[in-house]
Structures are given as C-alpha cells and as structure tokens.
C-alpha cells in the first residue's frame, strides 16, 4: 500500500487520486461527492466537474512569500530586514537556505513581532530594528520584508521606510506576508520594488548601452544551482558578444550592476514563467524589449537554440554574428567531443543505463531536463510532475511544450501540475507497477491511473527531483538526481547544470551512479 497516513487516505485517495485543479487535463479523477461502481469505467476528465483543491500538501518544493528573503541575500552586500514573527526566517532557511551569504541565516535582523506588536502595532519596533541594522551591518542595500503577522495587523511599513528613503538611506520595502503568495511570485515582487524604489530614482539620462542585457533566470536559493547557473549564462552570453548583468551572486557587481538595469538594450527571461512580470514591468517603465526562452537550456542543442534566439532578437551586426557563431561552434565541438568519449562506456553498460525518466521539479527545470535527457542522452520520459504551483495562465503553453519535447517528433511527455509531492510519489509507484493494492483501490473508485508497467520489464528508471525522493527512488529501484530543494544529501557550491558545461556535468553525475551501483 502507499505511504499515506490513514487521515490522508480518507481525504485524498478515496476522493481523488489526482489531487486538485492543479493536475490540469492529463489525469482522470472523480469530483468530490461522486461515487463509482467497483468496476465502472473511468469517465474522461473533460466530462467531469473541476475537482476540489487538495486538503493536504506533502513534501512541498517552495516556501511562503517571505522566502524572498533569499532573493535579497543573493544580492552582494544586501541585507533583508524582516518585520515578522519569530521563527519565520529560520523555517525558510531550513527549506531553501544552503548557506548564509553576506548577511543571511542567523544574521538577518528581525522585529520578532509578538503579542505587544499585534495589540499596539509594530511600527516603533520596526524603526528600532532598522536603526540598529544601519548601525551594525555594513551593507549597500537594506530590504524590509513583512510577514503574516504584521500584514494582518496592518502596520504602515511604507511610511516607516519612506522616512528613511527621504533621508537618502539605501532602503526599500516589500509586503511579503506569507499567505499572499509563494517565493516564486514574491521574488518578482521584491525585484520590481528594488527597481521602483532604489534603481529608478537614481537613473541618469535614460541612455541605452548597446549590447547590454539583463538576465532574469534562476530564483536564488530556490534553484540550488542558481549561482553556477547564472555564471554559465553570463559566460555564454559574453561569449557571443553581449555585456551581461546577472544581478545576483558572486559574478555580479552587486548594487552597481542593478543601477544599470535601465540602460540595457534588452532583457532576457530564461524559464517557464518566473521573471516575466519583471520583464513586463521594465518594458512598461523604460520601453526595454525582452526575449523569453521558456525553459532552462541544458546541453548543446538547447543552449545553441537559446543563444541564437537571443542573437536574432537583439540583432547584432554581421561581424558580431560571425564571432558569435564561431563561439557556438567551439562550444558544441567541445561538448560532443566529451560525449564521444562515452561510446565505449555506453556500449559496455547498455543494459544497465536508465531508460525512463520521472521529474518532480519546477516548470523551467522539468522542461529543460526532459528535453535534454531525451534528445541528447536517450532517456524516455514517463510521468513528469511540475511542482511550482504554476499560475493557470501559463499551463496550457507548458503542456504544449511537453508534447513537443522530442526534436524528431518521436516522443511526447505527459505532465501533471501538482504541488502535492506525496500524491506524485503514489502515482509514480503505480506507474512503476509496484503498488498493486493502491492500484486496485483506485480502480474500485473509477480512477484511471494509467500505468506503463515500467517496473515490470526490468528497465532502469531515473528520478530528477529533491531529497524528498530518496526513499521513492529506493522503493522502485531508480537512480536519483537531486536538482530541487530541499537538499539534504547533496552539497552545491558553484556547480552549474545549465548550458554546455551543465549538460556535461549532468552526464558525469548520472553515469557515475551507474558505475557505483554496477555489480
């Protein structure tokens, strides 16, 4: 039987194995209150009412809106100041932390709002913490973030921070009460607020620097490889002739770089949906056009596609395009030279290589990994789960892209939008054919769970997910590649898994597991 508790079985398995409106139109399910005969045929999803939201979420992949503290921590010499209850920052750090940065972790100043602040208001307490932070923490930018308690009470954070801004202090604020959104959304909010409150007032004459681009890609810390990934984007974009602002991490010039955002010739958004609101905001403010590449490019094929899309949009001169193409050819040659050295290994271990792929990732990584592992490595996609609570307006387009993952048109991928990873684990076990009890229970309720029987034919599977999937991988005999938070069993410092170099890194890690488990 599945690993659900009895309480969860009563709420979820009996009601809808496919969990909520987040699943989209790829999975059959029964709406609440509808009973089915034990052997009834499942009805097509299109004929059923929209199922209710899941009552429980197991093993989440993102934090509440206050997780945007990590966006601030990722800016060189920037400090978040939290106007929130005690413990909120610690919980965020535990889930998506991976280090303290310049002034993160236990260094983050916080008002620790309690009963007194709820009853009498916490504005005076916020002033005390801001004053103390300005005195004892040497930073280039201070960002005040609010929590649930203070947003519910209604403290006038804008007025408090506005007084410091009037004095010329480098300080901004954003309302990030945890109940308002998740940290993907609040990341965009914080970036836009920094632009509005700090960058724009310091703008000079509106000049545009030819060849300068701003990159909005990985959400810092939410993407465990964010630092290395941003460095790889900067390397390859500079390689084809651009000047690059990546804004976060150790390869950025910090606040000095942020101040040049309005001067960019174009903005580049890399990812399924996060960053689009920033690019639209900058277009509205400064008229800056943007290029959207809808997933993380991994390996030679998709990285080359990405670079050429940017080149076509920004339209360099003929000589510059020739230099860019020369860089692309060099990178492709090196990438495929490394892959060629694998031929003897692939032949020797051909029966021990992973052949089926499951992903439990955000939309940007899920698409990127599925495309790379299918088109460049030859691993066939099974069920793909997108766990970032993708806004509804982006889901149809993402589903279409999963249907087009094969560049030869030979394969498609089934995607399920599902924040509940516990349910995703159940579905993967069913798909692998190792949980007949749960399978029969689902069929008795008229739920078509599909099932490819991937576990019955002896083929090896690969799961790309987080540390939450360690036991699942052991249960179905799959390999696990950790590319999502939380990270418990993997250390990431400056590694990249995007671009040309990231593709090689993934292949190395993947086939190292094959060698490690060979008997």
């Amino acid at each position: 039987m599945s690993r659900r508790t009895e309480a969860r079985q009563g709420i979820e398995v009996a009601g809808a194995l496919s969990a909520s409106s987040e699943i989209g139109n790829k999975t059959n399910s029964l709406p609440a209150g509808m009973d089915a005969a034990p052997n009834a045929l499942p009805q097509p999803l299109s004929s059923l009412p929209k199922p209710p939201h899941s009552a429980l979420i197991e093993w989440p992949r993102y934090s509440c809106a206050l997780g945007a503290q990590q966006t601030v921590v990722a800016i060189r010499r920037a400090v978040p100041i939290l106007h929130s209850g005690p413990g909120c920052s610690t919980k965020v750090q535990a889930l998506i932390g991976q280090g303290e940065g310049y002034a993160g972790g236990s260094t983050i100043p916080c008002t620790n709002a309690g009963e007194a602040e709820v009853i009498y208001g916490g504005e005076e307490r916020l002033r005390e913490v801001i004053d103390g932070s300005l005195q004892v923490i040497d930073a280039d930018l201070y960002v005040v973030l609010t929590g649930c308690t203070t947003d519910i009470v209604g403290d006038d954070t804008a007025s408090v921070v506005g007084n410091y801004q009037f004095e010329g202090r480098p300080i901004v604020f954003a309302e990030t009460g945890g109940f308002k959104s998740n940290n993907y959304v609040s990341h965009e909010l914080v970036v836009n607020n920094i632009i509005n409150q700090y960058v724009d007032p310091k703008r000079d004459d509106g000049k545009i620097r030819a060849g300068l681009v701003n990159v909005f890609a990985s959400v810092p810390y939410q993407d465990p490889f964010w630092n290395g990934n941003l460095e790889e984007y900067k390397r390859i974009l500079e390689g084809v002739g651009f000047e690059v602002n990546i804004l976060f991490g150790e390869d950025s010039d910090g606040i000095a770089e942020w101040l040049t955002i309005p001067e960019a010739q174009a903005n580049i958004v890399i990812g399924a949906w996060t960053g689009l609101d920033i690019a639209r905001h900058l277009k509205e403010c400064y008229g800056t056009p943007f290029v959207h590449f809808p997933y993380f490019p991994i390996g030679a094929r998709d990285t080359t596609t990405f670079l050429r899309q940017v080149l076509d949009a920004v339209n360099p001169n003929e000589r510059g395009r020739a230099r860019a193409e020369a860089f692309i050819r060099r990178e492709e040659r090196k990438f495929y030279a490394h892959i060629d050295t694998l031929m003897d290994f692939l032949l020797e271990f051909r029966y021990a290589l992973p052949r089926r792929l499951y992903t439990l990732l955000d939309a940007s990584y899920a698409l990127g990994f599925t495309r790379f592992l299918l088109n460049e490595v030859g691993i066939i996609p099974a069920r793909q789960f997108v766990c970032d609570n993708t806004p509804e307006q982006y889901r149809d387009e993402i589903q279409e892209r999963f249907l087009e993952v094969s560049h030869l048109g030979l394969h498609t991928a089934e995607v399920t939008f599902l924040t509940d990873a516990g349910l995703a684990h159940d579905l993967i076990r069913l798909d692998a054919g190792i949980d007949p009890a749960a399978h029969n229970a689902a069929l008795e309720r008229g739920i078509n769970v599909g099932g490819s029987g991937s576990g019955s034919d002896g083929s090896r599977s690969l799961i790309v997910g987080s540390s939450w999937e360690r036991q699942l991988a052991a249960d179905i005999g799959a390999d696990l590649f950790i590319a999502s938070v939380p990270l418990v069993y993997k250390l990431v410092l400056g590694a990249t898994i995007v671009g040309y170099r990231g593709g090689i890194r993934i292949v190395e890690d993947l086939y190292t597991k094959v060698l490690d488990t060979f008997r």
Side-chain angles (χ1 to χ4, degrees):
M1 194 64 181
S2 68
R3 299 177 62 232
R4 298 203 181 283
T5 64
E6 291 182 4
R8 174 149 198 145
Q9 290 173 356
I11 294 172
E12 304 259 20
V13 175
L17 196 65
S18 108
S20 72
S21 58
E22 297 173 274
I23 291 185
N25 60 6
K26 295 293 183 180
T27 311
N28 292 321
S29 64
L30 287 178
M34 181 178 290
D35 297 322
N39 296 315
L41 292 175
Q43 302 178 53
L45 186 66
S46 59
S47 69
L48 298 177
K50 201 170 186 179
H53 282 286
S54 172
L56 298 174
I57 294 178
E58 288 183 328
W59 302 316
R61 310 302 160 113
Y62 52 82
S63 80
C64 68
L66 194 62
Q69 71 173 39
Q70 298 302 113
T71 293
V72 181
V73 171
I75 303 172
R76 288 184 60 188
R77 290 180 53 82
V79 177
I81 299 174
L82 304 189
H83 187 27
S84 69
C88 297
S89 176
T90 302
K91 292 179 180 178
V92 169
Q93 175 74 12
L95 180 64
I96 62 173
Q98 308 146 44
E100 296 193 353
Y102 179 69
S106 58
T107 309
I108 295 176
C110 182
T111 58
N112 291 324
E115 292 182 0
E117 286 72 32
V118 170
I119 297 171
Y120 301 108
E123 294 170 16
E124 185 57 37
R125 175 62 180 154
L126 176 59
R127 291 187 187 93
E128 293 175 0
V129 173
I130 292 175
D131 287 338
S133 300
L134 293 172
Q135 290 178 24
V136 303
I137 302 179
D138 179 24
D140 295 333
L141 182 68
Y142 302 84
V143 182
V144 176
L145 305 175
T146 58
C148 295
T149 303
T150 52
D151 275 3
I152 292 172
V153 170
D155 285 347
D156 191 355
T157 307
S159 176
V160 174
V161 174
N163 290 331
Y164 291 94
Q165 292 173 338
F166 183 75
E167 296 172 358
R169 301 283 194 174
I171 188 169
V172 304
F173 82 97
E175 293 184 352
T176 53
F179 58 86
K180 292 184 175 180
S181 64
N182 60 38
N183 60 312
Y184 286 100
V185 176
S186 61
H187 164 77
E188 295 179 309
L189 172 67
V190 167
V191 171
N192 283 337
N193 280 21
I194 294 174
I195 292 168
N196 292 341
Q197 299 174 37
Y198 186 75
V199 173
D200 190 68
K202 294 180 177 294
R203 188 185 182 200
D204 292 329
D205 55 5
K207 63 182 179 181
I208 301 299
R209 287 161 55 181
L212 176 64
V213 294
N214 303 314
V215 174
F216 301 99
S218 296
V219 177
Y221 292 95
Q222 175 63 41
D223 173 6
F225 296 88
W226 66 275
N227 212 333
N229 286 350
L230 291 178
E231 290 178 3
E232 176 69 356
Y233 291 135
K234 183 172 184 176
R235 184 187 74 86
I236 61 178
L237 286 167
E238 287 180 343
V240 296
F242 293 106
E243 183 183 356
V244 182
N245 286 339
I246 59 168
L247 306 176
F248 301 98
E250 292 308 309
D251 220 21
S252 165
D253 290 333
I255 296 304
E257 191 170 280
W258 281 73
L259 292 174
T260 65
I261 285 177
E263 302 174 14
Q265 182 181 354
N267 295 312
I268 301 173
V269 178
I270 308 170
W273 61 276
T274 306
L276 284 173
D277 278 354
I278 301 171
R280 292 174 184 137
H281 179 67
L282 289 171
K283 186 174 183 179
E284 181 179 346
C285 290
Y286 310 121
T288 313
F290 67 89
V291 182
H292 178 211
F293 194 78
Y295 52 88
F296 289 167
I298 303 173
R301 179 179 296 275
D302 283 347
T303 303
T304 294
T305 300
F306 160 67
L307 290 175
R308 286 179 175 156
Q309 179 177 324
V310 175
L311 288 166
D312 290 342
V314 182
N315 194 27
N317 59 44
E318 183 176 344
R319 182 180 177 186
R321 186 61 181 255
R323 288 199 302 268
E325 289 295 335
F327 172 82
I328 290 172
R329 287 194 297 272
R330 287 196 304 271
E331 291 295 313
E332 286 187 332
R333 177 184 57 78
K334 288 188 290 185
F335 178 88
Y336 288 116
H338 289 307
I339 297 299
D340 285 346
T341 62
L342 281 174
M343 291 303 105
D344 288 342
F345 166 82
L346 296 176
L347 180 63
E348 179 71 21
F349 291 91
R350 60 190 180 277
Y351 298 116
L353 302 178
R355 301 187 182 205
R356 295 181 57 80
L357 170 68
Y358 300 95
T359 62
L360 294 95
L361 301 166
D362 62 31
S364 304
Y365 260 140
L367 270 167
F369 266 99
T370 302
R371 290 180 58 87
F372 171 67
L373 293 174
L374 172 61
N375 295 319
E376 307 246 40
V377 184
I379 302 178
I380 308 300
R383 284 182 178 267
Q384 314 303 304
F385 295 93
V386 170
C387 305
D388 60 2
N389 199 19
T390 308
E392 290 284 349
Q393 65 265 33
Y394 301 114
R395 295 186 181 186
D396 288 344
E397 181 180 351
I398 292 169
Q399 286 182 330
E400 289 300 316
R401 295 192 183 280
F402 271 101
L403 294 176
E404 301 168 353
V405 291
S406 171
H407 74 275
L408 296 176
L410 300 178
H411 297 279
T412 61
E414 178 183 348
V415 60
T416 302
F417 296 96
L418 188 61
T419 57
D420 183 358
L423 182 55
H425 286 197
D426 286 348
L427 293 171
I428 290 174
R429 287 189 175 91
L430 292 176
D431 195 59
I434 67 164
D435 201 343
H439 184 275
N440 292 335
L443 290 179
E444 288 176 359
R445 293 171 175 84
I447 301 171
N448 181 10
V449 296
S452 63
S454 59
S456 60
D457 63 3
S459 61
R460 187 166 179 163
S461 296
L462 169 67
I463 299 173
V464 184
S466 73
S467 295
W468 294 134
E469 278 67 66
R470 192 184 196 193
Q471 186 59 50
L472 172 65
D475 289 347
I476 70 171
D479 296 314
L480 174 62
F481 187 96
I482 297 177
S484 171
V485 295
L487 266 71
V488 179
Y489 312 109
K490 191 180 187 75
L491 177 65
V492 178
L493 296 177
T496 179
I497 54 173
V498 301
Y500 298 105
R501 293 180 176 177
I504 294 298
R505 172 65 182 268
I506 290 171
V507 172
E508 289 175 342
D509 286 357
L510 175 60
Y511 290 144
T512 295
K513 294 181 182 296
V514 173
L515 290 171
D516 185 52
T517 58
F518 180 72
R519 297 291 184 269

